[in-house]
Amino acid sequence: MLKRLATAVCLLAAVAAFVATPRAQEGYPMTGTWYGDYGTGAQKKDVTFVMQWDGSKASGTMNPGPGSQPITSVTMDIIPGKAGGRSLNNPDAEAAVPPVFNVKIVVGDLTLEGKMMNPVGGNRSIVGTYTKGAEKGPFQIKHL
Amino acid sequence: MKRQSIQNALAIGIGAALTVAMATVDIAGQQPAAQGQGQAPAPAAQGQGQGQGRAAGGGRGGGNNQGRGGRGAPQGPPAAATPRWPDGKPILGSVPGKPVDGWGAGVTTLPQGMLDQVPFQPWARAAYDIRQIDQFEPHTRCKASGVSRQFSTPYGTEFVEVPDLQRMYILDNGGPNSYRIIYLDGRQFPEKIEPTNYGYSIGHWDGDTLVVETRGLNEKFWLDTRGTPHTKQLKFTERFTRLNMETLEYQATIDDPGAYTRPWTTTKFQLRRRAGEEPFEYICQQYNQGPELMLGTQESIDNSKFYVP
């Protein structure tokens, strides 16, 4: 009995460790699993997205499992950055401006619009505003 | 168990290759000049000034890293001809019976000299641009980085050809101290390949050029130190041509509809021979100055701490 319990605990620990380990993903920034919430206070809802990229279109699922919903659309609007000339030898020159990734995710009547933070980092996130009918409020999701 | 098997196979393969090769091969100087290849100028002198530093795997490495020694040194006499195996194929690695050689780094950024012609998708160009500012390349966090990124490490690579096994190993002397296998036995790609850092590489000879196609690459690394992006859809083709004893020409074709609007081919890079330099033990994880970047949030480096405890 004790042996079985120990085995179960070890298995659970292994699964938890796998889930908790950040998995780097350096390709299309939307690809992968995102977790976060939208709304405020008692109205706050957890949300998970799993997305893929086929080279021309991103697609995926919201809240995989029972009650999952297909993502209606995912778009990424990129504002190009600017090269800068600042360096150790030229500290007064203009600094480089990184591109901005504006993201819009639509799932049925839920729309999330936000900006991707640290878009090429393993810890990237999207922060912005959600709308659902007359509801409106903040949302944030993190790449796992 | 699988890793153990691979290690055993590697050890056996290297031993077998050296034994067979020493008994059978004609070394450089006993062969005619490379067919169809003019004698290229001798490479720069192999300087010895660069220490075996502590930084992980090369980082951003500077503009045109040509390995130790390299650019600007005076030109010497013409290089010896391309060494060949008894069947006439060029030897890409060390010449049996001679001291072990490596190849210095030769690829800094794949779009070198043609950035504006690279058919990036908008997100890929934006990612590339951000990576010019964001220096947290996976390789600097000791992540194994495949295909062209193998030829950007400051400590070079070693090619180990094993004719009996019809395969070649490319050993990374830097980063995670790992290796890539290139199958030369005429096999086809498996129908399904689980994406990995080094992918699945199959090579064939096109005249004096070894053409290697790699599929099944994951998205956990950059293609070069400057952050050329890719996706899992990448088919990466490399052309290795040993121009002479001292120089290995390298060119790549990137076919990745996930990141580019069409396939594109890089300029030709040159790797210089690191004559007689045995690979040394480089443990990236041990020497990494930013261990906190290997796992976790990857947000910053604690410069007050130089070594992993």
Side-chain angles (χ1 to χ4, degrees):
Chain A
M1 182 64 181
L2 261 179
K3 197 176 172 185
R4 282 187 184 171
L5 184 62
T7 307
V9 168
C10 287
L11 276 173
L12 276 174
V15 169
F18 176 76
V19 169
T21 302
R23 273 151 281 165
Q25 195 285 118
E26 307 279 344
Y28 185 71
M30 294 301 297
T31 302
T33 303
W34 298 78
Y35 174 74
D37 53 56
Y38 63 93
T40 52
Q43 304 302 317
K44 191 181 274 191
K45 290 186 174 66
D46 287 351
V47 65
T48 300
F49 295 103
V50 178
M51 293 188 230
Q52 308 89 35
W53 171 244
D54 70 3
S56 60
K57 186 173 166 243
S59 58
T61 305
M62 182 173 83
N63 297 332
S68 68
Q69 285 181 267
I71 294 172
T72 312
S73 67
V74 185
T75 52
M76 202 161 60
D77 178 30
I78 296 167
I79 302 169
K82 275 198 321 195
R86 186 173 294 176
S87 68
L88 284 176
N89 294 328
N90 193 10
D92 298 326
E94 201 174 333
V97 178
V100 174
F101 290 61
N102 291 316
V103 177
K104 184 175 180 181
I105 304 169
V106 180
V107 185
D109 61 349
L110 173 67
T111 300
L112 309 172
E113 285 186 273
K115 181 180 167 186
M116 191 182 293
M117 319 299 287
N118 193 16
V120 300
N123 62 334
R124 57 185 166 273
S125 60
I126 303 172
V127 177
T129 304
Y130 87 94
T131 53
K132 186 173 185 181
E135 285 178 44
K136 188 170 185 176
F139 88 89
Q140 56 176 355
I141 53 177
K142 277 190 150 187
H143 191 262
L144 299 180
Chain B
M1 182 60 82
K2 192 177 175 186
R3 178 181 293 274
Q4 186 76 47
S5 302
I6 292 170
Q7 287 171 345
N8 289 343
L10 179 61
I12 292 167
I14 293 170
L18 288 176
T19 306
V20 171
M22 286 176 73
T24 59
V25 77
D26 289 325
I27 61 170
Q30 296 174 329
Q31 289 288 315
Q35 293 156 7
Q37 300 287 356
Q39 293 251 330
Q46 300 285 324
Q48 298 293 330
Q50 186 173 338
Q52 297 176 3
R54 298 187 300 266
R60 296 174 73 79
N64 278 293
N65 193 344
Q66 301 272 350
R68 298 183 190 189
R71 297 162 66 87
Q75 301 228 329
T82 301
R84 292 175 185 277
W85 295 103
D87 65 3
K89 290 193 177 74
I91 295 174
L92 297 185
S94 300
V95 176
K98 296 282 187 181
V100 168
D101 292 332
W103 292 108
V107 179
T108 303
T109 174
L110 293 178
Q112 184 171 297
M114 54 181 295
L115 182 60
D116 292 337
Q117 294 142 50
V118 174
F120 288 106
Q121 288 198 22
W123 76 265
R125 178 59 199 251
Y128 181 86
D129 288 345
I130 290 179
R131 289 172 184 175
Q132 308 316 298
I133 306 168
D134 179 348
Q135 301 185 9
F136 297 146
E137 189 202 353
H139 194 86
T140 63
R141 305 195 297 272
C142 304
K143 310 288 185 184
S145 301
V147 291
S148 46
R149 184 60 181 88
Q150 288 194 292
F151 310 113
S152 298
T153 65
Y155 313 124
T157 52
E158 184 186 348
F159 287 41
V160 180
E161 296 166 90
V162 191
D164 279 4
L165 299 178
Q166 294 184 288
R167 63 179 60 183
M168 181 171 86
Y169 297 88
I170 299 181
L171 311 184
D172 276 347
N173 197 26
N177 214 301
S178 191
Y179 59 88
R180 167 160 61 124
I181 301 173
I182 296 171
Y183 299 107
L184 299 165
D185 55 5
R187 71 178 66 191
Q188 302 295 307
F189 284 101
E191 259 184 46
K192 280 193 173 179
I193 308 173
E194 184 64 28
T196 59
N197 292 45
Y198 287 112
Y200 197 102
S201 296
I202 294 176
H204 70 274
W205 287 93
D206 175 12
D208 277 354
T209 297
L210 179 66
V211 181
V212 177
E213 183 178 334
T214 302
R215 302 182 190 173
L217 290 156
N218 65 25
E219 298 176 352
K220 294 181 179 176
F221 66 96
W222 296 358
L223 291 177
D224 53 43
T225 59
R226 296 295 168 137
T228 302
H230 70 281
T231 71
K232 285 188 288 191
Q233 299 175 52
L234 174 64
K235 289 179 188 170
F236 196 89
T237 304
E238 296 161 291
R239 296 178 65 82
F240 298 91
T241 309
R242 190 165 191 168
L243 299 179
N244 53 45
M245 186 66 190
E246 307 296 336
T247 310
L248 183 68
E249 186 178 84
Y250 179 82
Q251 188 172 36
T253 297
I254 294 92
D255 181 359
D256 182 358
Y260 303 93
T261 57
R262 58 180 164 77
W264 59 284
T265 298
T266 69
T267 187
K268 290 177 178 173
F269 299 93
Q270 291 193 348
L271 280 57
R272 303 293 190 183
R273 184 168 73 109
R274 295 159 55 117
E277 286 192 30
E278 289 277 2
F280 56 91
E281 182 175 287
Y282 180 92
I283 305 299
C284 180
Q285 293 86 341
Q286 187 174 342
Y287 303 139
N288 195 346
Q289 293 183 30
E292 59 270 39
L293 299 179
M294 293 162 67
L295 287 173
T297 60
Q298 309 169 0
E299 284 179 292
S300 63
I301 296 175
D302 176 5
N303 284 322
S304 65
K305 190 169 58 181
F306 287 97
Y307 300 102
V308 179

